[in-house]
Amino acid sequence: MSFADQADRTLATLALTPGWSRLQALRPDCDTVIVATMLDAAAGFAETVLAPLNPVGDRIGAQVVDGRVVLPPGFVDGFRQYAEAGWLGIDAPAALGGQDVPLTLQAACGPLFDRGCMALMMAAGATRGAIHLLAQRAEAAVAAEWVPKLVSGDWAATICISEPEAGSDIGRIRTKAELRDGRWLVSGQKIWISFGDHDLAGRIGHCLLARTNDQPGTRGLSLFLVPDHIEGAPNGVTLERIEEKLGLHASPTCAMRFRDAHAILLGEEGRGLSQLFAMIEPMRLHTGCQGLGLASAAADIAEDYAAQRRQGGRPDMAPPTIASHPDVIRQLHDIRSATEILRAAVLELATAMDLARFDADTGRADLAAWMLPLIKTFGAETGFDAAHAAIQVLGGAGYTSDYPLEQYLRDARVMAVYEGTTGMQALDFLTRRLWRDEGRGLAVFLRQARDEITAGSAARPDQARSVGAVLDSFETLSASMTAMQADADAALYRADSYMRAGWAAVSAWMAFRLGTDEAIAILAARHALHNARCAR
């Protein structure tokens, strides 16, 4: 396993990302030497500080002691070191204590940290999301009080949405906020709250949706910040339990009770859900980074094992390594190709998000919105699939705890569930990104991909034609799905296949960029399959 190799691959992929050169021109402080130094530091921190915590956390898990969550040994110190090194506030505004570097660098470094210890990074991800949210939506005084404390790791934050009868169906949230004597008070129950309680920081702020009026659905929801205590006194926030889970044992998934908890209104009353997306969007990108981190580790383990494990061959000769077996070569190629395509796509999305902010490029904003459900979904699936495939390469050894693959498999499974399930992402990709946005993000994707393919067609004409055919086919499919708006149920039935066709098209684009020619034919076949499913 090589964290340094992952950093090198990331730096090389950044160099191939067209948007990155434009971003460097806008941000000369992000020259290649500085970025390489930052990635090297991230790799070293992940390997020496975070990675040793991962097996300990999985084995011991988070525990409730005297009504509070206590994390496994080393986690509190690991989180403190992570914050002190500046990683929590890497892309936070400098005026609020952050380093204000582009999001792309966070997306480059993040998978290294998630590879080291994904469970602990669940706390970091929620806190980073809250930093973005409060910097954008909180009143100046609230942001000035909270964001520097979050950046320093002195305080932490959560995202509180789900309830027992309102998981993905946010419009059924029943937690209420009432204005009494000029103060908002929140009462209700929230579940599935990652790091809802813990001993990492001295204070926890809950970014929470609650109903403030009688309007139905999401129109009655407002966004609040609810501290767990105020001036040292409890604020009506209590832990009810932590869940027993398949994986991420060191990440406490909490059920929380709020009883007349003093709350701070964030943004405009009644527009809580739309405002919360300032936190949700970076957390969905983080899911893609999590999957990339686990896939990178799984690919390395499979390749290292195959290069050492000897099996087969002529009985009168020393057995060869299994890395020379054609079927193992195929398996390793599939794992590595999927991992590197995801790496390229994550960095493409991150640069698009940055350019939309720094360059006021509305086209990039449309592309970022279009790509986000793809990265969230297929980052999750790639992380799980890579661990699953790597276990197969190792055989029986991969199924044991002698290797971390079985933990990666368990930890990765939930990524397709939280931050919006796969089905929800498919609906978003179809109904919002294609229908509501009138295909603006799709148009930017097709234009940029075709420009890149055209530029490289002279050197690789066959591959350019293959990828061009995939893009043409996906454009035709998108037109067909657009025409199905009148038959919404039939279209929604096909939403998952449509999204998978979209990922195959993006993957073919990234494969061409990386020169992964062997993968292009496979991706074309997958696209044809999903296209056919949409036509049923």
Side-chain angles (χ1 to χ4, degrees):
M1 290 170 46
S2 174
F3 286 81
D5 177 67
Q6 182 177 334
D8 289 344
R9 289 177 181 272
T10 300
L11 191 63
T13 304
L14 265 178
L16 296 173
T17 305
W20 174 242
S21 60
R22 171 60 182 159
L23 188 57
Q24 284 185 303
L26 295 168
R27 291 291 302 266
D29 56 324
C30 295
D31 65 63
T32 301
V33 173
I34 291 174
V35 173
T37 301
M38 184 177 292
L39 279 166
D40 182 65
F45 185 89
E47 185 168 19
T48 60
V49 178
L50 298 179
L53 300 176
N54 204 41
V56 176
D58 186 58
R59 184 175 67 253
I60 297 176
Q63 301 177 28
V64 177
V65 178
D66 296 329
R68 296 297 304 273
V69 171
V70 175
L71 295 176
F75 270 59
V76 173
D77 186 57
F79 188 77
R80 178 188 59 80
Q81 291 187 57
Y82 180 82
E84 288 180 350
W87 297 117
L88 260 177
I90 184 174
D91 57 338
L96 295 172
Q99 298 182 49
D100 200 25
V101 304
L103 177 63
T104 301
L105 294 186
Q106 161 60 32
C109 295
L112 289 158
F113 302 137
D114 287 307
R115 173 180 183 157
C117 186
M118 180 177 161
L120 182 55
M121 290 301 99
M122 292 288 290
T127 296
R128 281 191 61 254
I131 288 170
H132 284 280
L133 173 66
L134 296 177
Q136 294 180 38
R137 299 298 185 185
E139 294 183 357
V142 174
E145 178 188 13
W146 275 86
V147 174
K149 289 290 190 180
L150 295 175
V151 166
S152 69
D154 293 332
W155 296 353
T158 74
I159 179 171
C160 289
I161 300 178
S162 297
E163 300 182 7
E165 301 302 325
S168 300
D169 191 357
I170 295 174
R172 298 187 185 276
I173 282 177
R174 293 183 294 180
T175 294
K176 290 185 177 181
E178 297 180 354
L179 190 60
R180 301 181 199 164
D181 300 324
R183 302 175 65 189
W184 286 101
L185 300 177
V186 168
S187 296
Q189 184 189 32
K190 296 290 184 178
I191 60 173
W192 310 125
I193 311 305
S194 296
F195 280 86
D197 189 61
H198 54 79
D199 55 353
L200 296 177
R203 195 181 193 190
I204 303 172
H206 301 284
C207 300
L208 178 147
L209 284 177
R211 193 164 296 282
T212 54
N213 58 55
D214 295 331
Q215 293 188 63
T218 61
R219 288 177 293 176
L221 298 178
S222 299
L223 180 60
F224 295 90
L225 174 65
V226 183
D228 65 342
H229 64 262
I230 297 176
E231 297 180 351
N235 187 33
V237 182
T238 56
L239 170 73
E240 293 191 325
R241 68 178 186 277
I242 60 175
E243 308 294 347
E244 298 293 331
K245 310 191 300 292
L246 175 69
L248 291 179
H249 295 155
S251 172
T253 302
C254 303
M256 309 294 297
R257 177 68 65 175
F258 298 82
R259 294 183 176 88
D260 286 339
H262 172 59
I264 303 165
L265 179 66
L266 300 177
E268 183 180 344
E269 182 186 351
R271 298 194 62 210
L273 180 59
S274 62
Q275 293 167 156
L276 187 63
F277 270 86
M279 187 175 188
I280 291 175
E281 287 180 356
M283 293 181 72
R284 286 182 174 173
L285 174 61
H286 180 211
T287 304
C289 292
Q290 290 175 320
L292 177 56
L294 296 187
S296 297
D300 284 353
I301 292 171
E303 289 168 354
D304 290 348
Y305 182 88
Q308 298 175 37
R309 170 66 167 156
R310 294 185 174 276
Q311 192 76 41
R314 290 175 50 180
D316 58 338
M317 298 180 66
T321 64
I322 64 172
S324 65
H325 294 189
D327 188 58
V328 175
I329 293 172
R330 173 192 61 79
Q331 293 177 68
L332 295 176
H333 171 267
D334 288 351
I335 297 170
R336 178 57 70 186
S337 293
T339 300
E340 299 312 315
I341 285 170
L342 174 61
R343 192 184 319 281
V346 164
L347 295 174
E348 176 66 32
L349 170 59
T351 56
M353 294 172 76
D354 273 330
L355 288 172
R357 181 162 57 104
F358 293 129
D359 203 18
D361 186 332
T362 55
R364 296 282 188 176
D366 290 332
L367 176 65
W370 185 82
M371 285 190 68
L372 193 60
L374 297 176
I375 295 301
K376 191 280 172 187
T377 298
F378 297 102
E381 292 195 4
T382 300
F384 181 85
D385 291 346
H388 177 270
I391 289 173
Q392 192 70 20
V393 172
L394 271 66
Y399 192 66
T400 71
S401 57
D402 292 342
Y403 292 86
L405 292 172
E406 57 87 22
Q407 181 189 345
Y408 295 159
L409 188 78
R410 289 184 285 106
D411 288 351
R413 183 58 187 89
V414 73
M415 293 189 298
V417 176
Y418 59 46
E419 305 307 332
T421 64
T422 299
M424 291 177 64
Q425 300 302 323
L427 295 181
D428 178 69
F429 188 67
L430 174 64
T431 63
R432 291 189 176 91
R433 305 287 76 90
L434 181 65
W435 292 354
R436 189 192 67 183
D437 293 353
E438 298 179 329
R440 291 190 302 273
L442 168 66
V444 177
F445 156 65
L446 291 171
R447 183 177 68 251
Q448 289 190 192
R450 283 170 172 153
D451 287 348
E452 192 169 336
I453 303 309
T454 299
S457 61
R460 298 158 62 206
D462 292 342
Q463 293 82 2
R465 279 192 293 271
S466 295
V467 178
V470 170
L471 298 177
D472 291 346
S473 176
F474 184 62
E475 184 175 25
T476 300
L477 174 62
S478 297
S480 175
M481 295 301 292
T482 298
M484 292 186 69
Q485 293 182 65
D487 189 358
D489 285 348
L492 297 181
Y493 181 86
R494 293 162 172 79
D496 182 81
S497 293
Y498 176 64
M499 180 175 64
R500 293 179 188 279
W503 177 242
V506 169
S507 297
W509 175 28
M510 295 297 106
F512 187 86
R513 175 179 297 176
L514 296 171
T516 313
D517 295 339
E518 299 89 341
I520 292 175
I522 297 172
L523 292 165
R526 288 179 183 170
H527 184 272
L529 174 63
H530 299 311
N531 201 334
R533 287 177 175 169
C534 283
R536 290 178 183 172

